[in-house]
């Protein structure tokens, strides 16, 4: 399984772009984990709606921006990951990724 991790903080202006990047990936067998680190704009509400619309998306929000993401992310990934063959990638909310981003990463790893 492939896991794409996206971290957000006051990223409301990028939510639609992120949703499009995730939705339009040519590689379809992946889970997208989005962690919000205490946004004070509309990021959380929009990301929650996005997660509800796509079963591959897991959204977690933390009101306290001092929460260490590592304390939250690693246990979740450990729980989700059941195979030595699992792959992970991380992007920021304002990164631009291509529709074949995950496919290229998977192909590279397999070769």
């Amino acid at each position: 399984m492939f896991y794409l991790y996206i971290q957000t903080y006051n990223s409301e202006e990028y939510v639609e772009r992120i949703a499009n990047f995730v939705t339009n990936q040519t590689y379809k067998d992946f889970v997208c984990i989005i962690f919000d680190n205490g946004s004070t704009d509309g990021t959380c509400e929009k990301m929650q709606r996005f997660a509800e619309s796509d079963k591959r998306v897991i959204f977690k929000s933390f009101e306290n921006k001092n929460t260490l993401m590592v304390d939250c992310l690693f246990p979740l990934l450990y729980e989700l990951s059941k195979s030595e063959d699992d792959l992970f990638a991380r992007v920021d909310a304002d990164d631009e990724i291509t529709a074949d981003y995950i496919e290229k990463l998977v192909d590279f790893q397999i070769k």
Side-chain angles (χ1 to χ4, degrees):
M1 178 62 73
F2 189 94
Y3 296 95
L4 178 64
Y5 164 64
I6 302 172
Q7 185 170 334
T8 62
Y9 176 73
N10 287 343
S11 305
E12 182 177 19
E13 65 186 284
Y14 302 108
V15 171
E16 186 174 331
R17 187 172 75 184
I18 294 167
N20 286 334
F21 288 151
V22 171
T23 304
N24 295 326
Q25 286 298 304
T26 56
Y27 188 87
K28 301 294 184 190
D29 189 21
F30 69 96
V31 173
C32 178
I33 304 165
I34 303 172
F35 275 95
D36 183 78
N37 200 15
S39 288
T40 57
D41 62 1
T43 300
C44 292
E45 295 80 9
K46 290 182 177 184
M47 284 297 184
Q48 185 61 48
R49 284 195 300 273
F50 173 51
E52 291 168 359
S53 72
D54 190 325
K55 65 181 181 177
R56 299 172 298 178
V57 178
I58 298 169
F59 177 68
K60 300 286 185 186
S61 176
F62 300 94
E63 291 180 16
N64 180 357
K65 62 182 180 179
N66 293 323
T67 300
L68 292 175
M69 301 311 284
V70 114
D71 291 340
C72 306
L73 178 62
F74 287 158
L76 177 62
L77 291 178
Y78 178 79
E79 188 63 33
L80 291 172
S81 178
K82 302 296 183 195
S83 169
E84 293 179 7
D85 297 328
D86 289 338
L87 302 172
F88 302 88
R90 180 192 174 283
V91 296
D92 287 322
D94 60 349
D95 288 349
E96 292 192 32
I97 59 175
T98 61
D100 61 350
Y101 177 75
I102 295 175
E103 184 176 8
K104 284 182 177 180
L105 290 174
V106 170
D107 287 346
F108 178 79
Q109 186 64 29
I110 291 173
K111 291 179 182 181

